[in-house]
Amino acid sequence: MSINETPIKLEKFSFTENQLTIIWSDGRTSQLAAIWLRDHCQMPQSRDPVSGQRLLNITDIPVDIRIANVAQNDVMLVVDFAPDSHQSEFSISWLLDNCYCLNVQMDVRSESGKKLWQKSSFGGKLPRCNYDLFCDSPDSKQSALQSFKDFGFVILDDVPGNEGQVLKVINQFGFVRETNYGPLFEVRTKVDANNLAFTNLGLGCHLDNPYRDPVPGIQLLHCLQSSTTGGESILQDGFMAANILRDENPQHFETLCRQWINYRFQDTNTDLHSRVPMFETNDKNEIIKVRYNNRSIGTLKLDPDQVTEFYAAYRHYAEIIEREVLQIQFKLNPGELMMFDNTRVLHARNGYSKGGVRHLQGAYSDLDGLYSTLNTLKTKTLRLAD
Ligand SMILES: [Fe+2]
């Protein structure tokens, strides 16, 4: 709330057995079901006072729970329930902040919680943060993590050029997600590489590891050496591309949401399978995850009448992904580290010369740790502002 905003107050309330109705001073109305109120009781019998976690199961609440009385006591509403004679006190400010009528459930992972982008969105100025500031300044870290949340990527500058440094960067905001590649992986030309990523070939736009369950939510790539010709990095907003597909052909979008396909990775010691859709959506049909990796799609075993439709939709999305207006391209230089949301932002690289050295170290982390750090930093900032 800004300084000039008038605080919203409880204007009046009424109740029936099944529902509490509150009319707020700004004219809005909350209609709260008896079962919801009982389940959200904030009293010490219902919630652990330290952790705030629920102490009761849904089956502990009588199936015929109803409201027997509601009374206002200063800044509290006191609700008597029947038939269990339970009494709950709700602060009016808690009801305002938490009631389901006024507070739309925001899904920060979905397209509606993001700033979708294309090449022209940044005006040549990509989201970046100096690494020392990232480590030492909570404001800088919050701003960098917010960029990551909004755009799905951020670049850190002046990261020390030590081997293993990428793991220390992860420790600044979350936890390392170890895989069969180890805690980190080397990206440089290898003989008999088990993955095309470890050759000097160009790689088309993709998201990593759709064959894992769960897919690693964050990928980091730290440049240690780069003296080759080529090897530029490319990023692209997979949510934006999916939005364009939905606009251009809603049926193709639906097909990629509905049709589950197989992804696979196999080498001597590893054999990973998954069966998942290319687009994952939430209960509002908003995109929350994209999985796109042409190298890792396993043998497609679809219903015979779905094959042609799937390939048309898959091709359409692939064609959108190849549009240059949607891609940003830059050279990752020694000391730079890019981190991106591996459920949203596709990455690619141009092929590079055999002469010279290109050495990156990569690692994975998970989104929940990063979001937790960002939320905690925001809470501390708000407390300081109070
Ligand atoms: Fe990759």
Side-chain angles (χ1 to χ4, degrees):
M1 188 179 71
S2 74
I3 291 167
N4 296 326
E5 270 183 78
T6 310
I8 297 164
K9 294 185 174 146
L10 183 149
E11 195 76 27
K12 61 182 177 182
F13 69 88
S14 60
F15 67 94
T16 65
E17 278 193 342
N18 298 320
Q19 180 173 287
L20 166 65
T21 300
I22 300 173
I23 297 173
W24 302 97
S25 56
D26 63 357
R28 293 184 297 171
T29 302
S30 297
Q31 293 178 311
L32 302 173
I35 180 67
W36 185 90
L37 287 165
R38 182 66 185 88
D39 184 42
H40 288 79
C41 174
Q42 303 293 300
M43 307 299 280
Q45 308 95 301
S46 306
R47 297 260 168 179
D48 180 78
V50 177
S51 67
Q53 295 188 331
R54 265 188 193 77
L55 296 171
L56 75 168
N57 291 322
I58 187 64
T59 49
D60 296 331
I61 301 174
V63 71
D64 56 345
I65 191 78
R66 55 193 187 273
I67 297 170
N69 190 45
V70 182
Q72 185 170 359
N73 181 4
D74 193 19
V75 295
M76 311 294 281
L77 282 188
V78 182
V79 181
D80 290 312
F81 292 95
D84 60 353
S85 302
H86 181 80
Q87 188 174 75
S88 298
E89 293 181 2
F90 295 95
S91 81
I92 291 166
S93 62
W94 185 92
L95 288 167
L96 180 64
D97 290 343
N98 289 280
C99 92
Y100 51 82
C101 306
L102 307 187
N103 300 286
V104 176
Q105 190 67 45
M106 262 296 286
D107 185 349
V108 293
R109 303 283 182 90
S110 79
E111 57 185 315
S112 64
K114 309 292 185 190
K115 293 179 181 170
L116 304 192
W117 55 266
Q118 54 187 318
K119 185 177 182 178
S120 61
S121 303
F122 299 106
K125 205 164 178 280
L126 302 180
R128 306 184 86 99
C129 183
N130 172 275
Y131 183 62
D132 283 343
L133 286 174
F134 185 78
C135 296
D136 299 335
S137 158
D139 285 350
S140 297
K141 183 181 286 186
Q142 183 179 328
S143 162
L145 298 183
Q146 185 67 40
S147 292
F148 181 95
K149 174 184 170 273
D150 291 341
F151 303 114
F153 74 99
V154 66
I155 298 166
L156 301 182
D157 295 313
D158 300 323
V159 178
N162 308 319
E163 299 222 354
Q165 182 69 36
V166 65
L167 302 179
K168 293 183 179 170
V169 174
I170 292 176
N171 291 336
Q172 283 291 325
F173 64 81
F175 304 93
V176 175
R177 169 81 181 278
E178 194 165 337
T179 69
N180 58 298
Y181 299 125
L184 58 77
F185 50 88
E186 308 284 348
V187 185
R188 60 183 159 196
T189 305
K190 257 192 215 174
V191 176
D192 296 331
N194 67 348
N195 192 313
L196 291 179
F198 309 141
T199 70
N200 67 333
L201 296 174
L203 295 173
C205 277
H206 65 281
L207 292 147
D208 268 23
N209 297 193
Y211 40 77
R212 292 189 201 284
D213 179 14
V215 170
I218 303 170
Q219 182 175 176
L220 300 93
L221 288 170
H222 177 209
C223 181
L224 296 171
Q225 287 177 283
S226 177
S227 58
T228 54
T229 306
E232 294 84 3
S233 298
I234 294 162
L235 295 179
Q236 192 204 61
D237 187 351
F239 284 9
M240 172 65 104
N243 264 267
I244 292 170
L245 180 71
R246 181 163 46 197
D247 287 346
E248 292 182 353
N249 190 322
Q251 182 58 42
H252 285 171
F253 177 84
E254 284 303 315
T255 296
L256 296 187
C257 294
R258 193 185 61 244
Q259 181 63 61
W260 288 39
I261 57 174
N262 300 332
Y263 288 99
R264 186 171 193 199
F265 176 85
Q266 185 179 32
D267 68 6
T268 313
N269 300 311
T270 310
D271 192 359
L272 294 160
H273 296 254
S274 70
R275 182 166 167 75
V276 284
M278 209 172 270
F279 297 165
E280 196 170 320
T281 51
N282 65 12
D283 53 346
K284 296 182 171 63
N285 210 27
E286 298 165 336
I287 306 156
I288 55 170
K289 282 180 192 165
V290 174
R291 299 182 187 87
Y292 181 87
N293 190 320
N294 65 308
R295 284 173 288 140
S296 306
I297 295 181
T299 305
L300 286 173
K301 296 171 183 168
L302 313 176
D303 288 344
D305 60 352
Q306 298 295 320
V307 174
T308 304
E309 171 63 19
F310 173 77
Y311 273 103
Y314 175 29
R315 177 186 292 274
H316 190 173
Y317 189 56
E319 285 170 353
I320 293 169
I321 282 170
E322 286 174 11
R323 294 176 190 169
E324 274 193 28
V325 291
L326 300 182
Q327 300 180 346
I328 54 169
Q329 182 168 320
F330 54 93
K331 186 127 187 177
L332 199 65
N333 295 307
E336 293 178 331
L337 179 150
M338 63 174 174
M339 48 190 275
F340 46 89
D341 181 338
N342 189 51
T343 66
R344 171 187 173 193
V345 172
L346 292 88
H347 60 290
R349 70 148 192 252
N350 292 332
Y352 57 93
S353 60
K354 286 193 172 156
V357 181
R358 182 178 187 270
H359 181 200
L360 311 183
Q361 285 191 323
Y364 299 116
S365 182
D366 289 313
L367 286 165
D368 59 352
L370 183 145
Y371 276 94
S372 168
T373 302
L374 177 58
N375 293 338
T376 307
L377 286 165
K378 282 182 179 174
T379 305
K380 285 180 182 164
T381 303
L382 282 175
R383 278 204 198 114
L384 286 172
D386 275 350

